Every structure is written in C-alpha cells, then in structure tokens.
Amino acid sequence: MEIYSVGNKLRIGLFGKSHAESIGCYIDGLPLGMEIDADGIARAMDLRRPKGGIGTPRREKDEVILEEGVIDGKVAGRVLIRIMNRNKDSSAYDGFNVTPRPGHADLPALIKFEGFEVAGGAQFSGRMTAPLVAAGAIAQQYLAAKGIRIAAYSKQIADVIDTEERTFEEMEASRSRKTRAADDALDARMEEAILKASADGDSVGGIVGCMAIGLPIGFGGIWFDALDVSVARMMFSIPAVKGVEFGKGFGLASMRGSESNDQYAVKDGRISALSNNMGGVCGGMSDGMPLTFSVAFKPTPSISKPQRTVNLREMRDDTVEIKGRHDPCIVPRAAAVVEAMAAIAIMDQDLSFQSDQ
Ligand SMILES: Cc1cc2nc3c(=O)[nH]c(=O)nc-3n(C[C@H](O)[C@H](O)[C@H](O)COP(=O)(O)O)c2cc1C
C-alpha cells in the first residue's frame, strides 16, 4: 500500500484510493494523552459533505473510524483514521483508461504508472481529502486549546466576488451556509452561478479565503520551514488548487513600499500593525496579525460537455463525455479542506518551532 507523507513533528501518512475498500491516514506526533473530541471531527466532516444540488451526487456517510492510537478518547500513540468507501460505481470511469479526461490526472497517471486504473480518480480523487479533514479537526482541537483558531469561506465562485474585508467571526459563521459565502445575498448568487454551470453541463472554480488568529509574533520556522512555506505546501497539495497568495499577494507587485508596508504601533501595551497587507507573515514568521491567505481552485475538470481528447489504445484524436458523479464547483466543500490543511501545517509548526515544546 502506497503512503504519501508530510510533516516534521506532526507527520501525516495518507493512503487509499477513491474506489478502494477504504481511505485513511496515519497521524504521528500527537501529544500523548491529548483528548480527542469525536463530535468535533464529525462536525468538520459534515462541512466537507456535498450540499443540496451544488455538490456531487456521490453521497458517502464518511464515518470516521479511529482504528488505532486512541484509548478512552485520549491519544495513546500513532493514530490511524479510516473511512470506508461504500458508494462506489466504477463503471462510469472505464472509458477514461482509454480516453483520459482533460484537466484530471488521468493522462499523466496512465502514462506514468503501468496498469493504472482511473476508477473514481483513484489516489487523485478529491475524496482523498476526507481523512485529511478528520486529521485537521484533531489539529484544530490542539490549536484551539492554545487560542489559535482557523476559519475559511468562499471568497469567489465563478464571477461572483465577495469584495468585503471579512472578520474572523463572519468567516466562521459562513460555515453554516450552502456555499460558505459570508452573507445571504452572496450565498444565493454563488449558488445560482454553480447551478447555472451545472445545467450547462459545465463547472466553475473560485477562491477560498482563510484566516488563522491567535498566532504570537515570531510563530513559525524560517527558510524552507517557514510558516507561509508550510501552509502553501499543504494548500498546493489539495487537488484542483492552482494559486495561493498571502495578504495582498500578487497585488503587492503594483504597490509602493510606502503603501504596502504594514507599519507598527503600540496599542494597549501590545505591538500591533496598522494594516495587514502581508497576510500576517514576515520573514516566514507570524508578525502577530491574523494569518490571511487565499486559495484559487480551478473549475472541476469532469464536465458533461463533450471535450476533445486522445484515444490511447488507437493513438488518434477522440472525444470524451463524462457521465460520472461530480461536483460542479469544488469551492464550497474545499473550504473545510483548506481549514483542515492549514490546521495541520500550523500544528506542525507549533510542535517543531515554538520554544515551549
Ligand atoms: C473536495 C474536492 C472535490 C473534488 N471533486 C471533484 C469531482 O467531483 N470531479 C473532478 O473531476 N474533480 C474533482 N476534484 C478535483 C480533482 O481531484 C483534481 O482536479 C485532479 O486530481 C487533478 O489534480 P489538479 O487539479 O491538482 O491538477 C475535487 C477536488 C477536491 C479538493
């Protein structure tokens, strides 16, 4: 069984495939005796679940089994999280072994790995993020005890853009909405954009905004282990992510230093910045401001409109029509994944580089 691993002191090992018996992950490095709130894990899983008409019709219960390493609700060693794949239908994928789907991993994987079977997207499926959300929920519990909280929301879906500077509380409240937009009017417009694309046999992309609060000044590693490096690595590991920016990100390129620098002041005896253009990170460490970043997701590659592809058996041009069960937009579900992956990165940074460890 292949295991894909990441992390320094908190090590995550991801395994399984979309249509295997199960998927899951190992978590090494959780503090022994740490209490695990199973309801908190279930709540996080619920936020990743597809909603109404705007998510994939593949419905999975996603019951998280803490198979090893947890005794009486407390961490007793390496934790093994397993989630069964119950709702599998590989028939819709057979053809993609011959006519790979544009935008998905089919073509490179079929060329690279002998005997590769596309079924459900295999290890490239968005479903692989389910155990990561469970692991992230545990990391969020660890961080919450230290006053560090993380929330993500839909900042943009298709051409519907939330232009407001959102507070942490607004982002957190957006979790209960269908698209995770931060208010009702945007939620409705984002949902409409997704449904319209879906009705056209098409898909849309968008941007997830994320904020972590409670990081003290100096939090994080430096250079290759920097806070932003570590968060960006986890973000780019999420399938369909094509861009990550911290603070004003690419917008900084057209600013002057006098506009972009976050100047400092002392307020109530504490050092604070007067703006947050850098997204809370300087020199790879927290500058004490909220860590804010945006993650761009491409439109879901599997669309039902006919598309040009190649026929690998006959080595000729061909077309492909996709009939499987797919999300017309990944963004609303992906916000839960962004939160989880950020939590894993930040917990690893905490265990690895904070002096009280
Ligand atoms: C939560 C989530 C759900 C996804 N659902 C789908 C889906 O239903 N159909 C699909 O084609 N891709 C889906 N994807 C995206 C693909 O897994 C991804 O585009 C593919 O593995 C190729 O990788 P890349 O886009 O990072 O290059 C999903 C991704 C995530 C994070």
Side-chain angles (χ1 to χ4, degrees), residues 46-87:
D46 197 44
L47 296 173
R48 203 198 73 97
R49 212 163 269 137
K51 305 250 176 357
I54 62 165
T56 173
R58 178 177 177 181
R59 296 293 144 102
E60 289 273 11
K61 265 180 83 185
D62 283 349
E63 203 178 308
V64 172
I65 306 162
L66 298 171
E67 200 172 287
E68 288 172 19
V70 181
I71 299 174
D72 295 334
K74 292 198 175 103
V75 173
R78 183 173 73 161
V79 171
L80 167 53
I81 287 176
R82 194 184 291 280
I83 298 171
M84 304 310 290
N85 290 323
R86 300 191 197 278
N87 193 344

Side-chain angles (χ1 to χ4, degrees), residues 48 56 93 101 103-105 121 124-127 129 236 238-242 297-303 325-328 330 333-334 337:
R48 203 198 73 97
T56 173
Y93 289 86
R101 292 168 296 170
H104 216 295
F124 301 98
S125 169
R127 178 145 181 78
T129 60
F236 276 117
I238 304 172
V241 167
K242 295 306 272 185
F297 286 82
K298 70 185 192 185
T300 315
S302 301
I303 54 172
R325 300 164 298 169
H326 300 281
D327 290 295
I330 295 164
R333 300 180 64 200
V337 183

Side-chain angles (χ1 to χ4, degrees), residues 174-216:
S174 75
R175 284 173 176 154
S176 60
R177 298 179 200 275
K178 236 187 204 174
T179 67
R180 277 184 92 134
D183 71 44
D184 286 340
L186 277 165
D187 195 44
R189 285 171 55 214
M190 286 182 176
E191 185 181 359
E192 197 187 314
I194 296 172
L195 293 174
K196 189 168 178 302
S198 177
D200 294 342
D202 221 327
S203 63
V204 285
I207 296 176
V208 172
C210 186
M211 186 186 279
I213 57 169
L215 297 169

Side-chain angles (χ1 to χ4, degrees), residues 151 153 164-172 211:
Y153 74 117
E164 298 283 316
E165 292 262 333
R166 294 292 173 184
T167 62
F168 182 82
E169 285 69 28
E170 283 173 320
M171 292 186 197
E172 228 179 12
M211 186 186 279

